[in-house]
Amino acid sequence: MPDLSNISNTLDVLKKYDFSFQKKYGQNFLIDSNILDSIIEGADITGEDCVLEIGPGIGTMTQKLCAKARFVIAVEIDKKLIPILNDTLSEYDNKLILNEDILKTDIKDLCERYNAGKPVKIVANLPYYITTPIIMRLFEEHLPIESITVMVQKEVADRMKVGPGTKDYGALSLAVQYYSDPEIVTVVSRNCFIPKPNVDSAVIKLSVFSDNPIKVADEAFMFTLIKAAFNQRRKTLANSLSNAGIAGVTRESVADALDKMELSQTVRGEVLTLEQFARLSDLIKR
Ligand code: SAM
């Protein structure tokens, strides 16, 4: 099978199968071999690794992953792509192609079956319409994952990296930085895809902590507070939290916690660091 990271080979495959792109699935296929190489290199794939690829498309990146990894699990929602993947990946026997929605896939079970429960590496050119739900699910369910190396919109990659006091700082930044160490691998022009998206992209690598450096007594409660704080980011933290209807959170408990942290009662959530959200969560919970 010819290398698909090349526009004419990709067009040949699409034509052979009379494939038409589905906007609802966020289908923008990569056609640049340098970018593909930098994703694979950034993901640091070795012959020992089991890789989970989300949304393989026609298998452009999957071919390269199969050539490097011990085993590749490719989860694709679009059933029209499955016969294409069976064709483009026919020469590899170290792969499993699943026609499923990644938001419903039992990833833990796959890790147990294909990697003896050890952490897998996730690699993907993500469908942009569900980037955040995918990333949040991978983290919140505490799945066995070593790293997540993904293509996302440039603006989303920036949001994952930024700290307090910037307009892009929010619940996604805090979740990514609580669970992992984010690093931008490369910025990618919109010309590297067909069809061409309206925005530029970036490849980001999230190295997942095996032991989170920030300690908090109740992680889920902290993220409930964080989401409430950024749902109404123009309001003071005290107002957003006490109006959110979270069990156990009262105006008094928030005021008391802010006092103990020596923060103003009019502070906004967007200036708090992750450490401060963890402390706030522990103080309110107590
Ligand atoms: N990996 C291919 C590439 O780089 O050329 C395709 C990337 S394209 C941006 C996103 C892929 O994710 C598409 O193949 C799309 O059908 C698939 N997809 C969209 N939603 C999905 C979901 N919920 N679960 C699994 N795959 C999904």
Side-chain angles (χ1 to χ4, degrees), residues 103-151:
L103 294 177
K104 298 187 183 142
T105 298
D106 188 344
I107 299 173
K108 198 153 179 252
D109 176 61
L110 289 172
C111 295
E112 262 151 34
R113 276 195 285 147
Y114 296 95
N115 204 34
K118 290 186 286 150
V120 296
K121 291 182 177 167
I122 299 205
V123 182
N125 169 14
L126 284 179
Y128 293 167
Y129 75 109
I130 45 165
T131 299
T132 301
I134 292 175
I135 298 288
M136 293 308 285
R137 174 172 184 226
L138 297 175
F139 285 143
E140 286 175 348
E141 291 190 17
H142 294 279
L143 297 163
I145 296 168
E146 186 176 329
S147 59
I148 304 171
T149 308
V150 282
M151 176 90 71

Side-chain angles (χ1 to χ4, degrees), residues 69-184:
R70 180 183 60 75
F71 196 73
V72 178
I73 304 166
V75 179
E76 173 56 61
I77 199 169
D78 186 351
K79 68 174 187 306
K80 296 215 170 90
L81 287 168
I82 304 302
I84 306 185
L85 286 164
N86 284 328
D87 182 5
T88 60
L89 302 173
S90 61
E91 70 192 76
Y92 300 101
D93 53 15
N94 59 337
K95 90 286 177 179
L96 173 73
I97 302 165
L98 293 175
N99 182 207
E100 285 183 23
D101 176 349
I102 193 64
L103 294 177
K104 298 187 183 142
T105 298
D106 188 344
I107 299 173
K108 198 153 179 252
D109 176 61
L110 289 172
C111 295
E112 262 151 34
R113 276 195 285 147
Y114 296 95
N115 204 34
K118 290 186 286 150
V120 296
K121 291 182 177 167
I122 299 205
V123 182
N125 169 14
L126 284 179
Y128 293 167
Y129 75 109
I130 45 165
T131 299
T132 301
I134 292 175
I135 298 288
M136 293 308 285
R137 174 172 184 226
L138 297 175
F139 285 143
E140 286 175 348
E141 291 190 17
H142 294 279
L143 297 163
I145 296 168
E146 186 176 329
S147 59
I148 304 171
T149 308
V150 282
M151 176 90 71
V152 296
Q153 287 180 38
K154 165 81 174 57
E155 178 223 313
V156 176
D158 291 340
R159 265 198 271 149
M160 290 178 177
K161 283 254 340 161
V162 291
T166 53
K167 75 171 174 30
D168 289 334
Y169 186 58
L172 180 66
S173 333
L174 285 155
V176 164
Q177 293 164 34
Y178 175 73
Y179 291 107
S180 73
D181 180 16
E183 177 202 344
I184 294 190

Side-chain angles (χ1 to χ4, degrees), residues 244-282:
I246 307 164
V249 180
T250 60
R251 189 159 287 279
E252 293 68 40
S253 64
V254 177
D256 187 45
L258 291 176
D259 269 347
K260 288 199 171 96
M261 293 174 68
E262 298 180 4
L263 288 170
S264 154
Q265 293 296 327
T266 59
V267 74
R268 285 190 187 160
E270 64 195 11
V271 303
L272 264 66
T273 62
L274 179 55
E275 285 91 333
Q276 286 174 313
F277 271 111
R279 172 108 202 281
L280 183 77
S281 169
D282 285 351

Side-chain angles (χ1 to χ4, degrees), residues 41 64 99 154 190 192 196 203 207 229 235 247 256 271:
E41 202 175 301
K64 294 191 184 263
N99 182 207
K154 165 81 174 57
R190 63 196 76 186
C192 297
K196 182 163 132 181
V203 178
S207 302
K235 293 200 174 167
D256 187 45
V271 303

